[in-house]
Amino acid sequence: MHASFNLAAELDAALMAAASAAGLVDAAEFAPDVRPADARHGDYQANGVLGHAKARKLNPRATAEKLVAALPAGLHDACAIMIAGPGFVNFTLKPAALLAWLRAHDTEDHLRAGAASAKHNQTWIVDYSSPNTAKQMHVGHLRSAVIGEAIARLLAFSGARVVRDNHIGDWGTQFGKLIWAYKRHLDAGALAQDPLEEFERLYKAGHHAAEAGPAVMDEARAELVKLQGGDAENLAIWRKINDVSLAAFQQIYDRFGIRFDVALGESFYNDKVGQIYRELSGCGLAVESDGALVVFHPEHPRFKQQPLMIRKRDGAANYASTDLATILYRAEHFHATGALYVVDKRQSDHFEQLFLTAQKWFAQSGRPVPQLQHVDFGTILGEDNRPLKTRSGENIKLKDLLAEAEERAFALVSGRSLDFPEAERRAIAAIVGVGSVQYADLSQNRSSDYVFAWDKMISLEGNTAAYLLYAIARIHSIFRKLAARPNDLAIEGAASALETPAELALARKLVKFPNALDTAVGQLRPHFLCLYLYELAGEFSAFYNADKVGVDDAGIRGRRLLLCARTLLILETGLRLLGLRTLTRM
Ligand code: ARG
C-alpha cells in the first residue's frame, strides 16, 4: 500500500484489478464496495463479492479466495486479509501501514491534497443563507447559513471550485408598504441608531395602515409600481434599505466566518426574466392560464394540476421566474456543474417544480442540463417541541441568540478556568458560544427537526463543540507541558512501531477520516463528519488515559506524540471544515 489518503478506495481499486487478473466472470461489472468495518472485523470490509458471486451462481467463498490470491504481495504485507462469513473480505491494517499513513498525512494541505480528487474539475454553486432584506436575521435563518457554509467548505476541500452565492430576497412586494411608510413616518434618529429595527417598525406601520384602509393599500401599491418602473426616489430608498440590510447581515456572517463570493439577489435578475418567458413559451413548456404564465407537468401526480406560475397575472415576475433566470445565469456565467439550494424543506415543492421545469427547458434548448439539488433541512424547535420563538411568540433574532450563546459559554469557561484573565475568557467564550450553536445544528441529520436546548449544546459532555474544542485544547497543552510541538521531525522520526491496543485503536480511527469526509460530502450531510470527530475525540481520551505520552523512551514518546499531533490536525481540520474556529487553551 502507498499510504494513499483514502485506504478504502485503494483497497477497492486493488480488488477491481484483482478481479480482472483472476478472470472473474463479468469483472468489469464487479463493485467491491470496500468500506470501513465494524472494529471487530478489522479496518475495512469488501461487501461486494457476495452479491456479485450470487448473481452469477458462483460460490462466494471460492470467489473471494480467488480474488484475495490475486491481490498484490505489497497489500498482503500491509494488512491481514481474511475471508469471513459467506464471502466478505476483511482487511486489518498492520502497524507499519498505520504508521506510514500517519507520517504521510502531516498537514492540512496534505489532507486536502488527498481529498481533492473527488470533485476535480467541477464548479458548484452553493445558494445559501439568502434572507429577505429589510428584516433582521432570525432563528429561521440559522440553518441555511450554518449548513451552507459547512457544505461549501467540504466541497472546496474535495477539490471543487465553489461559488458561494447569497440569493437575497431584495425585490419583494414588501417594498411597496415599506417605501410608503418610509416617506411618511421615518424616524431619523432611530434610523441612525439601528436601521434594521427602524425598517421593521416602518414595514409594520405600513402594513397596519394598509390593512386598515384601502386608500393606503392603493398608495403602497403605487409606490411598488413606481419602484419597478425605475422611479429615482423610490430606487434610492430601496437601495439604501438593501445596503443597510446587507451590512447588518454581514455582521452575523462575520461571526460564523461566512464570506460570499457573490450576492446576486432577486433584483439582479429583473432584466433577465423576459428571456425566460420567451423561451419557455416558445418551446411550449409555459402556457397562459387566467392571464398568468404557468408550466404544467402532466406526468407528475400533483404538478399536472398545480402548475408552476412563472409570471403573475399583473405581469410581474415572481420567485419562480427569478429562480429560472438564476439557473440560466449560473450555467452561462459560472459554467456551473450544478447548484445546491440550502433551503428549508418546506420549500421542497417549489424546488421540485423548478428543477423539473429547468431540466425540460435545458434539454429542449440543447443546453447541458445542470445538476440541481435541494439541500433541505428541518425546523428548529423549542423545548415544547414547537417552532422556536421568544416567550411572547416573536422570532428570536440571531444577534440575540448569539449574544446569549456567548454569555452562556462565558459562564462555562469561567466555571472551569477562572484563573484565566477575563479578556481571554471572553475570547474563548466567543469561539465556544458561536461554535456550539453551529455544531448543535450540524451534528443533527439536517433533514430532521431538532430541539434547541442550551444546556445540552453548551456543555463539555456529549457530542458538542465544547467537548471537541476542549479535546483540542488538551492536546495543545500536552505539547506545551512536554515542551514539544506537533510536526517536530526529530521527535516523530524516532517513533517506533505502534503497539498497545489504545495506540492501535486511535491510529485505526485516524486513518478513517477520509471515509467520514467522503460520506459527508457524498450525501451533503455534515453530521457524518461531526460523529466521526466525536468518536475520534473519544478514542483519543481512551488512549490518553491508558498510555503515558511523556515517557523517557524516545521511540515510544515519538509515536505517542505523533498520534497526538495527528489527532490534533484532524480535529482542527474537521472543525474548520464545519465552519468553526478552534483554540489552543480553554
Ligand atoms: N429568500 C428566500 C426565502 O427567504 C430563500 C431563497 C433561496 N434560494 C433560492 N434560489 N430560491 O425563503
Side-chain angles (χ1 to χ4, degrees):
M1 295 190 98
H2 302 102
S4 65
F5 180 59
N6 189 333
L7 296 169
E10 187 177 341
L11 292 169
D12 208 281
L15 277 172
M16 295 262 270
S20 305
L24 186 68
V25 181
D26 297 331
E29 283 166 33
F30 172 49
D33 189 17
V34 176
R35 47 178 81 187
D38 186 303
R40 282 168 301 158
H41 302 135
D43 289 307
Y44 305 100
Q45 182 167 64
N47 295 326
V49 183
L50 195 62
H52 186 89
K54 271 193 177 160
R56 286 156 189 83
K57 304 228 158 25
L58 303 168
N59 176 331
R61 267 197 88 95
T63 307
E65 273 159 23
K66 246 168 73 180
L67 284 172
V68 169
L71 287 169
L75 212 58
H76 285 279
D77 293 341
C79 42
I81 307 173
M82 302 252 294
I83 298 169
F88 297 108
V89 185
N90 293 339
F91 300 87
T92 307
L93 294 166
K94 293 186 182 162
L98 291 166
L99 194 61
W101 191 95
L102 295 179
R103 285 197 193 286
H105 295 92
D106 55 347
T107 60
E108 187 165 330
D109 281 342
H110 284 154
L111 295 176
R112 181 182 297 107
S117 58
K119 301 275 167 187
H120 195 60
N121 282 336
Q122 299 188 4
T123 296
W124 284 92
I125 312 284
V126 186
D127 176 327
Y128 68 114
S129 190
S130 309
N132 298 334
T133 55
K135 285 195 194 138
Q136 310 197 49
M137 289 179 82
H138 58 74
V139 66
H141 295 111
L142 178 68
R143 301 206 75 183
S144 178
V146 167
I147 297 168
E149 180 62 24
I151 284 176
R153 290 182 185 211
L154 285 165
L155 285 172
F157 197 78
S158 307
R161 174 179 166 239
V162 174
V163 180
R164 293 159 156 90
D165 186 4
N166 195 1
H167 188 80
I168 46 178
D170 58 358
W171 197 247
T173 44
Q174 78 264 33
F175 283 102
K177 291 168 184 168
L178 188 51
I179 292 175
W180 180 90
Y182 188 99
K183 288 183 175 171
R184 289 161 184 80
H185 302 295
L186 181 69
D187 174 343
L191 184 72
Q193 224 175 33
D194 191 337
L196 274 191
E197 292 275 1
E198 177 60 2
F199 292 150
E200 278 179 7
R201 188 191 69 81
L202 286 172
Y203 175 77
K204 280 185 199 143
H207 182 71
H208 288 142
E211 296 286 283
V216 174
M217 186 68 99
D218 287 342
E219 285 170 17
R221 231 179 251 130
E223 296 292 4
L224 185 65
V225 171
K226 270 168 75 182
L227 173 69
Q228 290 172 342
D231 173 80
E233 185 188 4
N234 283 13
L235 268 179
I237 297 174
W238 168 81
R239 214 166 274 129
K240 167 150 194 166
I241 293 169
N242 284 329
D243 288 351
V244 162
S245 299
L246 283 182
F249 297 160
Q250 190 57 49
Q251 288 181 1
I252 303 273
Y253 297 146
D254 285 344
R255 299 173 82 171
F256 288 131
I258 296 176
R259 285 232 159 271
F260 288 99
D261 300 301
V262 286
L264 302 175
E266 292 176 14
S267 67
F268 176 77
Y269 298 96
N270 258 338
D271 60 354
K272 298 177 179 57
V273 289
Q275 182 184 1
I276 306 303
Y277 307 145
R278 277 195 306 281
E279 285 204 22
L280 269 71
S281 305
C283 68
L285 265 176
V287 292
E288 293 260 350
S289 165
D290 282 332
L293 197 57
V294 303
V295 178
F296 287 98
H297 293 288
E299 76 289 358
H300 193 280
R302 270 173 304 130
F303 307 149
K304 66 178 173 202
Q305 264 125 28
Q306 293 165 38
L308 177 71
M309 186 190 288
I310 65 169
R311 190 179 64 206
K312 295 198 277 188
R313 286 174 64 179
D314 62 6
N318 66 2
Y319 195 43
S321 15
T322 39
D323 256 335
L324 286 166
T326 306
I327 292 172
L328 181 59
Y329 181 81
R330 287 171 176 168
E332 290 185 338
H333 186 82
F334 296 114
H335 306 288
T337 311
L340 304 171
Y341 296 76
V342 187
V343 185
D344 193 304
K345 73 174 168 202
R346 283 169 291 192
Q347 292 194 29
S348 63
D349 267 8
H350 167 73
F351 287 112
E352 197 184 339
Q353 252 171 323
L354 179 72
F355 298 166
L356 262 177
T357 306
Q359 272 143 10
K360 291 180 186 171
W361 164 39
F362 271 59
Q364 286 190 29
S365 55
R367 298 179 173 105
V369 180
Q371 298 175 45
L372 305 170
Q373 188 179 340
H374 178 197
V375 179
D376 67 358
F377 52 80
T379 305
I380 303 182
L381 306 174
E383 299 198 47
D384 58 356
N385 270 319
R386 303 167 63 90
L388 185 65
K389 299 263 171 185
T390 62
R391 278 221 182 99
S392 55
E394 309 256 326
N395 281 322
I396 300 174
K397 292 171 191 154
L398 269 189
K399 64 174 190 206
D400 296 341
L401 187 98
L402 294 180
E404 177 159 3
E406 285 195 24
E407 241 3 273
R408 287 175 181 262
F410 184 69
L412 181 87
V413 175
S414 299
R416 9 175 349 112
S417 314
L418 200 54
D419 51 322
F420 289 13
E422 165 153 7
E424 185 180 356
R425 277 181 281 137
R426 289 266 168 222
I428 295 172
I431 293 175
V432 174
V434 176
S436 298
V437 171
Q438 290 169 293
Y439 192 85
D441 201 294
L442 294 167
S443 57
Q444 310 282 330
N445 186 332
R446 60 174 163 75
S447 299
S448 321
D449 299 345
Y450 75 90
V451 174
F452 191 95
W454 283 119
D455 292 339
K456 259 170 106 182
M457 69 203 239
I458 303 197
S459 162
L460 285 160
E461 266 140 62
N463 186 8
T464 63
Y467 174 73
L468 294 176
L469 290 168
Y470 181 68
I472 287 173
R474 186 156 73 151
I475 301 175
H476 277 289
S477 96
I478 294 169
F479 279 99
R480 282 194 297 267
K481 281 200 191 109
L482 297 176
R485 55 185 172 75
N487 290 1
D488 182 328
L489 291 182
I491 295 176
E492 290 177 6
S496 50
L498 304 172
E499 227 169 63
T500 70
E503 288 170 354
L504 290 166
L506 177 56
R508 302 212 134 94
K509 192 75 196 172
L510 286 165
V511 304
K512 310 251 169 41
F513 172 61
N515 307 106
L517 200 61
D518 251 18
T519 314
V521 173
Q523 302 192 28
L524 301 173
R525 293 189 192 277
H527 75 278
F528 288 111
L529 179 57
C530 296
L531 183 62
Y532 168 81
L533 296 174
Y534 174 58
E535 290 174 354
L536 174 61
E539 285 297 354
F540 182 80
S541 274
F543 155 76
Y544 190 65
N545 291 336
D547 294 339
K548 187 164 190 264
V549 177
V551 293
D552 290 334
D553 182 300
I556 300 177
R557 183 185 169 102
R559 74 188 191 227
R560 292 187 181 161
L561 280 170
L562 178 65
L563 285 166
C564 291
R566 295 307 180 267
T567 305
L568 180 62
L569 173 67
I570 289 181
L571 286 177
E572 287 183 336
T573 302
L575 284 186
R576 253 199 299 275
L577 285 174
L578 295 169
L580 276 74
R581 285 175 293 161
T582 59
L583 31 73
T584 55
R585 200 163 101 112
M586 182 169 159

